[in-house]
PDB file of all heavy atoms in Angstrom:
ATOM      1  N   LEU U  50     141.008  76.705  97.804  1.00  0.00           N
ATOM      2  CA  LEU U  50     140.970  76.828  96.324  1.00  0.00           C
ATOM      3  C   LEU U  50     141.501  78.217  95.972  1.00  0.00           C
ATOM      4  O   LEU U  50     140.992  79.211  96.503  1.00  0.00           O
ATOM      5  CB  LEU U  50     139.512  76.669  95.862  1.00  0.00           C
ATOM      6  CG  LEU U  50     139.196  76.996  94.458  1.00  0.00           C
ATOM      7  CD1 LEU U  50     139.926  76.076  93.504  1.00  0.00           C
ATOM      8  CD2 LEU U  50     137.685  76.920  94.217  1.00  0.00           C
ATOM      9  N   SER U 106     148.800  91.306  90.862  1.00  0.00           N
ATOM     10  CA  SER U 106     150.037  92.117  90.957  1.00  0.00           C
ATOM     11  C   SER U 106     150.544  92.222  92.400  1.00  0.00           C
ATOM     12  O   SER U 106     151.698  92.461  92.611  1.00  0.00           O
ATOM     13  CB  SER U 106     149.763  93.530  90.383  1.00  0.00           C
ATOM     14  OG  SER U 106     148.675  94.084  91.149  1.00  0.00           O
ATOM     15  N   ILE U 117     145.756  82.804 102.395  1.00  0.00           N
ATOM     16  CA  ILE U 117     145.334  81.393 102.479  1.00  0.00           C
ATOM     17  C   ILE U 117     144.965  81.076 103.952  1.00  0.00           C
ATOM     18  O   ILE U 117     143.884  80.471 104.164  1.00  0.00           O
ATOM     19  CB  ILE U 117     146.485  80.438 101.993  1.00  0.00           C
ATOM     20  CG1 ILE U 117     146.636  80.550 100.509  1.00  0.00           C
ATOM     21  CG2 ILE U 117     146.233  78.978 102.394  1.00  0.00           C
ATOM     22  CD1 ILE U 117     147.801  79.807  99.921  1.00  0.00           C
ATOM     23  N   CYS U 135     121.501  75.294 110.081  1.00  0.00           N
ATOM     24  CA  CYS U 135     120.824  74.093 109.632  1.00  0.00           C
ATOM     25  C   CYS U 135     120.118  73.420 110.816  1.00  0.00           C
ATOM     26  O   CYS U 135     119.012  72.932 110.722  1.00  0.00           O
ATOM     27  CB  CYS U 135     121.776  73.091 109.016  1.00  0.00           C
ATOM     28  SG  CYS U 135     122.328  73.664 107.407  1.00  0.00           S
ATOM     29  N   ASN U 187      99.881  54.200 125.548  1.00  0.00           N
ATOM     30  CA  ASN U 187     100.671  55.017 126.489  1.00  0.00           C
ATOM     31  C   ASN U 187     100.343  54.642 127.940  1.00  0.00           C
ATOM     32  O   ASN U 187     101.252  54.437 128.743  1.00  0.00           O
ATOM     33  CB  ASN U 187     100.358  56.515 126.300  1.00  0.00           C
ATOM     34  CG  ASN U 187     101.370  57.151 125.374  1.00  0.00           C
ATOM     35  OD1 ASN U 187     102.459  56.610 125.184  1.00  0.00           O
ATOM     36  ND2 ASN U 187     101.051  58.266 124.821  1.00  0.00           N
ATOM     37  N   GLU U 253     105.169  44.706 116.550  1.00  0.00           N
ATOM     38  CA  GLU U 253     105.750  44.195 117.803  1.00  0.00           C
ATOM     39  C   GLU U 253     106.717  45.215 118.325  1.00  0.00           C
ATOM     40  O   GLU U 253     107.655  45.666 117.659  1.00  0.00           O
ATOM     41  CB  GLU U 253     106.480  42.871 117.512  1.00  0.00           C
ATOM     42  CG  GLU U 253     106.861  42.225 118.830  1.00  0.00           C
ATOM     43  CD  GLU U 253     107.754  41.026 118.661  1.00  0.00           C
ATOM     44  OE1 GLU U 253     107.657  40.336 117.610  1.00  0.00           O
ATOM     45  OE2 GLU U 253     108.569  40.790 119.556  1.00  0.00           O
ATOM     46  N   TYR U 301      85.427  61.018 103.669  1.00  0.00           N
ATOM     47  CA  TYR U 301      85.595  62.243 102.927  1.00  0.00           C
ATOM     48  C   TYR U 301      84.691  63.314 103.592  1.00  0.00           C
ATOM     49  O   TYR U 301      83.661  63.040 104.143  1.00  0.00           O
ATOM     50  CB  TYR U 301      85.118  62.109 101.470  1.00  0.00           C
ATOM     51  CG  TYR U 301      86.253  61.568 100.574  1.00  0.00           C
ATOM     52  CD1 TYR U 301      86.390  60.242 100.332  1.00  0.00           C
ATOM     53  CD2 TYR U 301      87.128  62.474 100.040  1.00  0.00           C
ATOM     54  CE1 TYR U 301      87.406  59.778  99.507  1.00  0.00           C
ATOM     55  CE2 TYR U 301      88.161  62.018  99.209  1.00  0.00           C
ATOM     56  CZ  TYR U 301      88.319  60.679  98.959  1.00  0.00           C
ATOM     57  OH  TYR U 301      89.302  60.239  98.159  1.00  0.00           O
ATOM     58  N   SER U 479      99.570  59.891  66.035  1.00  0.00           N
ATOM     59  CA  SER U 479     100.862  59.238  66.316  1.00  0.00           C
ATOM     60  C   SER U 479     100.597  57.834  66.894  1.00  0.00           C
ATOM     61  O   SER U 479     101.366  56.911  66.602  1.00  0.00           O
ATOM     62  CB  SER U 479     101.754  60.048  67.180  1.00  0.00           C
ATOM     63  OG  SER U 479     101.205  60.106  68.459  1.00  0.00           O
ATOM     64  N   GLU U 529      72.707  53.383  65.923  1.00  0.00           N
ATOM     65  CA  GLU U 529      71.372  53.177  66.503  1.00  0.00           C
ATOM     66  C   GLU U 529      70.235  53.429  65.488  1.00  0.00           C
ATOM     67  O   GLU U 529      69.124  52.972  65.695  1.00  0.00           O
ATOM     68  CB  GLU U 529      71.144  54.093  67.707  1.00  0.00           C
ATOM     69  CG  GLU U 529      72.080  53.781  68.904  1.00  0.00           C
ATOM     70  CD  GLU U 529      71.843  54.614  70.091  1.00  0.00           C
ATOM     71  OE1 GLU U 529      71.231  55.707  69.984  1.00  0.00           O
ATOM     72  OE2 GLU U 529      72.308  54.206  71.174  1.00  0.00           O
TER      73      GLU U 529
END
Side-chain angles (χ1 to χ4, degrees):
L50 169 64
S106 58
I117 289 173
C135 289
N187 264 340
E253 192 188 329
Y301 273 94
S479 68
E529 293 182 343

